[in-house]
Amino acid sequence: MVDLYGPLYRNVAAHIDAERSHHLSIAGLAAAARTPGGLRALSALAPPRDDRLRLRLLDLPFANPVGVAAGLDKNAQAVEALIALGFGHVEVGTVTLRPQPGNHTPRVWRAIEQQALVNAMGFPSDGAASVRARLLRLRPRAVIGVNIGKNRDTSLEDAATDYADLVSALFDVANYFTVNVSSPNTPGLRSLQLADGLAAVLARVNEANLGSAAVLELDPRPILVKIAPDLVDSEIEAVAEAAISGGASGIVATNTTTSRDGLPSEFANHPGGVSGEPLRERANHVTRVLYRRVGNRLPIVGVGGIMTGEHAVERIRSGATLVQVYTGFTYRGPAFAATLVKALIADADATGWGHITDIVGLDA
């Protein structure tokens, strides 16, 4: 199955509209999870377990540092299948408080030769109530994060209320939350990641987090912030400090980029953000800048352009403690988690490190 995926993608999936192909893939994974023996079949593609990769981070247990980025399973339809494939965590979303359709189609395009996607989806979401209902039915064997964003029709002035209400609505089904203030596809959203805007959002989110924890007699959830790659170094550092002062538990770096560097000219006027290989070097740079600024004060989740096992090793050596994938999974297929985990194991065998945290930030 692994050997067949590449030709299958190039000869079949790549000729289907990109968004439709994505929906079919998620539906297929969800169907496998519902089919007797389906999860067992998927688990045959999972990587071996290795204690050197196990982590206790954010007071949560990660079987390995490889996770699914937000955007792949927006509405929590394929969580069990993704866990069966060997991912150590799954971040669903972006989830909005109220259902919304997102931007007009077409809104996803492939740049196959460049191993990239261009995405202008604009937070299409079934809404918090539907996502909560799906997650309530699960008994996941891995960490589940929920990526949250404001509705398009919510003003920037009221955005903090949306984020706070999402934390309250989804508190009992999330192991952690990621505050998405960096998508390029919701007008004005990226202004919220700058220091003053982020401080206001985090203040309301923390209030909702502590309030929900008190009511349910549970521990507060870790709150992470997802930032854009299109910031200069001084802005990256300012966002990091704002996240720390605002009580964030970690930073997800990075979202998609508005840059068209490395793409054919036909994509110059396409809306949306770019993910995949063209983002890799920039995402690595942002990770290194963040790590040099925050060190071990906040964990970094590295996402963007991780297309091979070597890329995962590189991102961790740049300062990320966890990594997440989306476009790489799209192009490489269901054995991609195993590919990344095996590369980490091979690096440990070759260089002699005893635990994954031993190499975090070595090349920062």
Side-chain angles (χ1 to χ4, degrees):
M1 181 175 182
V2 177
D3 292 337
L4 291 175
Y5 184 80
L8 180 66
Y9 184 86
R10 290 191 300 271
N11 296 316
V12 179
H15 296 283
I16 303 172
D17 171 77
E19 185 174 353
R20 176 169 171 74
S21 177
H22 179 87
H23 288 320
L24 289 172
S25 297
I26 293 298
L29 288 170
R34 294 192 300 268
T35 302
L39 291 176
R40 187 178 303 111
L42 291 176
S43 67
L45 297 172
R49 290 184 174 268
D50 191 307
D51 285 343
R52 292 172 295 184
L53 303 185
R54 298 179 69 85
L55 286 161
R56 187 78 187 179
L57 190 70
L58 305 171
D59 204 27
L60 297 170
F62 293 84
N64 64 64
V66 178
V68 175
L72 185 68
D73 189 9
K74 291 179 179 295
N75 292 301
Q77 296 168 300
V79 172
E80 289 176 302
L82 292 166
I83 293 170
L85 290 172
F87 288 101
H89 69 283
V90 176
E91 187 169 308
V92 303
T94 296
V95 182
T96 58
L97 189 61
R98 300 175 301 281
Q100 66 177 25
N103 295 327
H104 295 299
T105 57
R107 55 193 182 181
V108 184
W109 302 269
R110 302 182 187 91
I112 294 176
E113 293 301 317
Q114 292 73 31
Q115 298 285 279
L117 295 174
V118 182
N119 152 33
M121 296 193 78
F123 293 170
S125 174
D126 289 350
S130 292
V131 171
R132 180 177 183 275
R134 290 191 187 106
L135 290 176
L136 274 175
R137 294 195 292 267
L138 301 182
R139 289 180 173 82
R141 294 172 292 141
V143 174
I144 307 301
V146 180
N147 185 293
I148 55 176
K150 81 173 190 71
N151 278 98
R152 186 183 181 92
D153 61 0
T154 298
S155 68
L156 291 175
E157 291 75 19
D158 293 329
T161 300
D162 263 21
Y163 288 104
D165 288 348
L166 280 158
V167 169
S168 298
L170 297 166
F171 183 91
D172 59 337
V173 294
N175 294 123
Y176 72 85
F177 289 98
T178 296
V179 176
N180 188 346
V181 287
S182 53
S183 170
N185 300 318
T186 298
L189 186 72
R190 285 190 165 187
S191 67
L192 295 176
Q193 74 185 319
L194 302 179
D196 290 344
L198 184 57
V201 169
L202 287 176
R204 292 295 307 278
V205 164
N206 287 332
E207 181 182 350
N209 190 24
L210 292 172
S212 296
V215 169
L216 296 175
E217 298 183 338
L218 296 171
D219 291 332
R221 300 311 192 216
I223 305 295
L224 284 67
V225 176
K226 190 165 189 175
I227 70 171
D230 308 310
L231 300 170
V232 300
D233 289 3
S234 60
E235 291 173 324
I236 296 168
E237 293 172 347
V239 170
E241 292 301 330
I244 291 171
S245 62
S249 302
I251 299 175
V252 182
T254 66
N255 216 310
T256 57
T257 178
T258 56
S259 170
R260 295 299 184 262
D261 290 349
L263 292 186
S265 58
E266 66 191 87
F267 292 96
N269 295 319
H270 275 56
V274 176
S275 62
E277 176 63 33
L279 176 58
R280 179 168 62 90
E281 283 300 329
R282 183 61 196 170
N284 272 332
H285 175 77
V286 173
T287 300
R288 287 191 291 267
V289 172
L290 282 170
Y291 186 80
R292 289 195 296 264
R293 186 68 175 191
V294 305
N296 295 320
R297 290 187 291 169
L298 285 184
I300 299 165
V301 182
V303 56
I306 297 172
M307 309 297 287
T308 70
E310 291 72 21
H311 295 166
V313 174
E314 177 186 44
R315 192 63 51 86
I316 291 171
R317 288 179 177 271
S318 295
T321 307
L322 302 175
V323 296
Q324 294 179 341
V325 296
Y326 172 3
T327 305
F329 182 84
T330 299
Y331 279 102
R332 302 290 189 261
F336 193 47
T339 297
L340 303 190
V341 168
K342 288 176 181 177
L344 291 167
I345 292 172
D347 190 69
D349 291 340
T351 61
W353 50 261
H355 190 265
I356 188 69
T357 53
D358 295 341
I359 63 166
V360 173
L362 281 183
D363 297 337

